[in-house]
Amino acid sequence: MDDRITLAHGAGGSQTSYLIDKVFKKNLSNPFFTADDASVLPRPEGKIAMSTDGFIVSPPFFNGGNIGKLSVCGTVNDLSCMGARPLYLTCSFIIEEGLEISLLEKAVESMAKTAEESGVVIVAGDTKVAGKGQVDKLFITTTGVGEVLPGVDLSGANAKTGDKIIVTGDIGRHGCCILLSRDDYGIDADVKSDCAPLWKSVERALNAVPDIHVIRDATRGGVGTVLYEIAAQSSVGIKLVSSAVPVSPEVRGVCGLLGLEPLYLACEGTLVMITPPDKADLLLETLHKQPYFENAQIIGEVISEDVGHVVTETEVGTETYLPKPGNELLPRIC
Amino acid sequence: MNETVKRAVEIIKSSNTRDLRIMEVCGTHTHEIFRMGIRKLLPENIKLISGPGCPVCVTPVDYIDEAVMLALEKNAVICTFGDLVRVPGTSMSLALARGKGAKVVTVYSPLDATKYAEEHPSEEVVFLSVGFETTAPSDCISVKTAVRKNLKNYSVLTSNKTMPGAYRAMKDSADAFLYPGHVHAITGTGILKELLSEGVSGVVTGFTAAEITTALATVLKKTETGKPFFENCYPRVVRDEGNVAAMKIIDEFMEPCDAVWRGIGEIKNSGLKLRSKYADYDARIKFSLPVINGKPNPACRCGQVLQGKILPSDCPLFGRACTPEHPVGACMVSGEGACSAFYLYGGNK
């Protein structure tokens, strides 16, 4: 077997078939994944949710995951945030000439494993090879279709005054991990990305509390950005208790050294949930029993004042606005 | 709330001292004071004024113009701390110059710049040497490194500043100073005792909630005595003798010069330039830069903000034409700038 991708692997001839058989079919085989031009799929009963996302993370392999796992988690989690059970996924690969085939294979193996964990089926795919230097190693785009659970109505516009705000885990690990993987700062710290497929855990949370108002994944821009987006979409203010926000000692340490705010670092397996106040305890109790959500915490509440802003209490007992997220902190984080 | 903070906050809130203007000199103090909403603790008659201690804010427009000229006309690679990249010059910032082909590399230490020069021997590398006594030692170490490694393609464009001259120039703008802890960790407290003998009051302090509130409480208590005062409220870091090794290396490579502070004007002996022995590493000499008279945007009122004469929100550009995303004045660029901190933390909330 060739050990590197060449332009011939994308030309449609025998080497393309070889790549499809040995890398893609081997890992992604299922009855819907056929040699035809499109997959023909049974129609779900409920409303359909659909989402697409491109992944260009650098480096493509990092502590706690890789671009393959991330590309499935990203779309599965986007569907989950709308209360939709992920059903089908398509994936498009843009591969740089010269990439080791073993790296591609590892990424595809991770996709298969992550898809299985989430209960989603990869039903179609496409491969293109771009010349050396025209892309960086491997870019993946996934598109997903999910079925919205009956009786669930989730939107960033649904937050109401008095609602409680929960984060499902300690924040900023993915952003911090990518920053360290690039080794631009000479900092040695063991920070593992939180990259994870969350549907099964979200489903159990929604079964316990079907009237959660908002679920958002705190990817690019982190929890701070998500809170500002919800404040704007719902025309409310948000009161954040900064001291209640869970941050691991490693992430806090790295942020301290580099002058970064963990609230703006990307997460890939951590959600913000907004729930009616009388359901907050039940939801928290349910979350604590789910994989990936053991460290869930209430971090604030929705208020009617300071519309469009996130207000936070300081160490000296006064209130200030959380600074609005500004320029791109790190390019190519997902 | 931490017990020390609680006690200090009680003293601050219950103070009935005379009208008082306290200047926090350091940009990091400005940032922390806004971040923690400390101004809201103060009684009406006590004002905190943001002073000239944000290095980016007091760097004159001419300096940015010089850096842009080096990058675009002399083909030099500019190595700089990130803050300076977006500061507007007369016609453009380094960020805009980058769009016109300038090579601008953001570094976290002057030694990253010498490393870059070593790895790129065919490029001329200029490090933008700005800041106070805190950054000057590492700027000098970069020159020392360049001398030792015989790097012919490395030079520095100096706009380093020193605080004593600024304290004296600003002494009528405030009744007491919060002196910058890290500057005096380098220089020691000798100059502050000299200022005391000239009737200038102040306390040197650190940067945590407990340190800043304790320093303010100390200023209020000491003011009640009616006599000039000086206290070291940051003894865990600031020693009377300062950092002797750091002062020695500054003295070895740099000498005092007059310097222009944006918004304040020229202050005698308040700057540092390379000694003539190291002229080969002085970018102004190496590239025969002409004297540039930069022109700041006439509507920008950073100068008055820097002297504590107006609040950032009194400037007609604040939050409209001038925001952190599209800064007009230097005070909106740096995280240590008063306008930026005021904007980000909702100063008027």
Side-chain angles (χ1 to χ4, degrees):
Chain A
M1 186 175 175
D2 304 330
D3 60 355
R4 284 182 187 270
I5 294 287
T6 65
L7 289 174
H9 284 112
S14 60
Q15 280 175 283
T16 307
S17 308
Y18 178 82
L19 191 68
I20 290 173
D21 287 347
K22 297 293 176 192
V23 175
F24 296 106
K25 272 198 186 160
K26 181 178 151 197
N27 289 291
L28 305 178
S29 177
N30 66 68
F32 298 121
F33 204 113
T34 67
D36 291 320
D37 282 350
S39 296
V40 177
L41 307 164
R43 190 164 54 180
E45 278 176 23
K47 281 189 204 162
I48 283 176
M50 192 167 171
S51 181
T52 189
D53 213 340
F55 297 86
I56 60 168
V57 62
S58 168
F61 285 78
F62 47 84
N63 188 0
N66 62 53
I67 190 167
K69 179 181 182 186
L70 190 64
S71 72
V72 174
C73 293
T75 296
V76 160
N77 293 348
D78 281 347
L79 293 172
S80 306
C81 288
M82 299 312 291
R85 170 181 294 116
L87 299 173
Y88 311 119
L89 218 61
T90 68
C91 48
S92 157
F93 295 82
I94 298 179
I95 311 169
E96 186 186 21
E97 178 187 15
L99 180 79
E100 295 96 320
I101 291 181
S102 61
L103 282 186
L104 176 67
E105 203 171 356
K106 269 187 205 154
V108 174
E109 277 168 17
S110 296
M111 290 179 79
K113 199 169 155 232
T114 313
E116 195 186 341
E117 187 184 339
S118 330
V120 71
V121 185
I122 296 177
V123 297
D126 178 54
T127 307
K128 297 283 189 303
V129 178
K132 184 100 190 139
Q134 291 174 340
V135 292
D136 185 11
K137 295 189 181 73
L138 176 61
F139 291 173
I140 304 176
T141 300
T142 55
T143 300
V145 170
E147 179 185 14
V148 181
L149 296 188
V152 167
D153 175 24
L154 291 164
S155 163
N158 288 354
K160 307 266 184 306
T161 300
D163 282 358
K164 296 288 180 196
I165 302 166
I166 290 173
V167 286
T168 59
D170 60 288
I171 65 165
R173 274 197 280 134
H174 181 73
C176 190
C177 157
I178 295 298
L179 188 141
L180 293 174
S181 324
R182 293 188 195 162
D183 202 23
D184 288 340
Y185 304 98
I187 299 174
D188 216 4
D190 184 21
V191 178
K192 201 168 165 184
S193 168
D194 57 343
C195 175
L198 303 175
W199 168 247
K200 296 276 168 69
S201 298
V202 170
E203 184 180 28
R204 286 188 285 264
L206 282 167
N207 285 340
V209 183
D211 53 347
I212 298 174
H213 286 159
V214 184
I215 303 181
R216 271 284 163 87
D217 58 344
T219 53
R220 265 180 304 181
V223 171
T225 302
V226 162
L227 293 179
Y228 265 104
E229 284 169 0
I230 295 169
Q233 251 185 298
S234 295
S235 298
V236 293
I238 283 179
K239 185 163 180 183
L240 175 73
V241 182
S242 302
S243 56
V245 178
V247 185
S248 75
E250 294 82 9
V251 170
R252 197 177 287 290
V254 172
C255 285
L257 276 174
L258 297 177
L260 301 174
E261 169 52 72
L263 283 165
Y264 299 123
L265 283 181
C267 311
E268 288 292 344
T270 304
L271 307 175
V272 171
M273 295 188 175
I274 299 189
T275 174
D278 55 330
K279 303 289 174 60
D281 289 343
L282 173 61
L283 179 57
L284 202 58
E285 199 183 304
T286 310
L287 291 172
H288 285 159
K289 290 179 199 146
Q290 310 310 323
Y292 311 119
F293 294 164
E294 297 88 347
N295 296 323
Q297 294 279 352
I298 294 178
I299 61 163
E301 66 178 322
V302 179
I303 55 176
S304 55
E305 309 88 52
D306 296 299
V307 171
H309 283 285
V310 180
V311 180
T312 168
E313 190 168 298
T314 72
E315 301 96 302
V316 301
T318 57
E319 284 187 346
T320 55
Y321 291 151
L322 182 74
K324 272 196 178 165
N327 295 323
E328 183 70 85
L329 192 64
L330 265 184
R332 297 190 52 196
I333 200 132
C334 59
Chain B
M1 206 187 299
N2 157 318
E3 277 306 311
T4 313
V5 175
K6 204 181 272 176
R7 269 204 309 278
V9 167
E10 273 163 25
I11 294 171
I12 293 168
K13 280 186 170 167
S14 61
S15 168
N16 48 17
T17 180
R18 65 182 172 90
D19 292 357
L20 204 59
R21 297 162 303 161
I22 306 168
M23 178 177 282
E24 88 268 3
V25 176
C26 176
T28 307
H29 280 150
T30 299
H31 182 267
E32 289 302 290
I33 284 167
F34 276 108
R35 188 182 68 74
M36 293 188 263
I38 285 178
R39 285 169 187 239
K40 291 167 215 163
L41 298 173
L42 300 171
E44 280 275 298
N45 64 329
I46 300 172
K47 300 275 181 243
L48 267 176
I49 303 170
S50 301
C54 153
V56 169
C57 304
V58 295
T59 298
V61 172
D62 322 349
Y63 182 78
I64 302 298
D65 294 345
E66 286 182 306
V68 168
M69 179 182 275
L70 282 169
L72 289 181
E73 294 176 29
K74 310 286 181 181
N75 213 16
V77 175
I78 302 294
C79 284
T80 175
F81 297 136
D83 275 5
L84 271 180
V85 176
R86 298 193 310 127
V87 177
T90 301
S91 63
M92 73 181 91
S93 63
L94 285 165
L96 276 177
R98 189 144 57 180
K100 293 181 186 291
K103 191 157 183 191
V104 180
V105 178
T106 304
V107 294
Y108 292 85
S109 152
L111 291 180
D112 292 343
T114 51
K115 186 164 170 247
Y116 182 94
E118 196 176 359
E119 289 167 356
H120 300 80
S122 62
E123 298 176 18
E124 273 296 338
V125 177
V126 177
F127 176 71
L128 301 187
S129 178
V130 300
F132 302 105
E133 290 92 335
T134 40
T135 51
S138 53
D139 299 340
C140 291
I141 288 172
S142 82
V143 177
K144 190 175 181 173
T145 305
V147 172
R148 183 166 54 82
K149 296 194 168 178
N150 198 23
L151 299 177
K152 300 288 185 203
N153 62 332
Y154 181 76
S155 57
V156 297
L157 184 68
T158 55
S159 185
N160 298 77
K161 296 193 165 51
T162 53
M163 291 314 302
Y167 296 148
R168 290 198 169 96
M170 304 295 290
K171 69 178 182 188
D172 295 327
S173 302
D175 303 303
F177 290 100
L178 290 188
Y179 294 123
H182 292 157
V183 165
H184 293 287
I186 304 286
T187 65
T189 56
I191 172 66
L192 304 178
K193 288 170 186 163
E194 255 176 56
L195 285 165
L196 174 64
S197 68
E198 296 164 25
V200 180
S201 294
V203 300
V204 61
T205 187
F207 302 88
T208 64
E211 285 161 348
I212 296 177
T213 50
T214 302
L216 284 172
T218 306
V219 168
L220 300 181
K221 283 279 183 199
K222 291 277 176 183
T223 301
E224 286 168 14
T225 67
K227 287 187 226 147
F229 57 87
F230 164 67
E231 282 290 329
N232 180 359
C233 295
Y234 197 28
R236 71 186 171 96
V237 172
V238 176
R239 307 230 154 74
D240 285 349
E241 69 278 16
N243 182 332
V244 177
M247 291 303 282
K248 207 173 141 202
I249 193 158
I250 296 177
D251 187 54
E252 185 184 342
F253 286 88
M254 290 179 162
E255 62 187 350
C257 63
D258 299 340
V260 175
W261 297 54
R262 188 194 292 237
I264 299 171
E266 185 172 276
I267 304 177
K268 287 273 166 214
N269 281 329
S270 67
L272 290 169
K273 63 175 184 181
L274 282 182
R275 290 189 180 277
S276 53
K277 193 177 161 191
Y278 300 103
D280 291 350
Y281 299 91
D282 186 327
R284 282 191 191 88
I285 297 170
K286 186 174 188 178
F287 295 96
S288 313
L289 286 186
V291 174
I292 296 176
N293 288 309
K295 290 181 189 62
N297 184 319
C300 170
R301 295 178 70 187
C302 275
Q304 284 156 292
V305 171
L306 278 169
Q307 294 176 79
K309 291 183 177 162
I310 62 168
L311 277 178
S313 54
D314 296 332
C315 172
L317 304 181
F318 178 82
R320 289 181 276 275
C322 186
T323 61
E325 290 78 30
H326 299 285
V328 174
C331 301
M332 188 59 99
V333 178
S334 169
E336 297 187 4
C339 295
S340 159
F342 198 93
Y343 184 89
L344 289 174
Y345 296 105
N348 283 333
K349 178 179 156 48

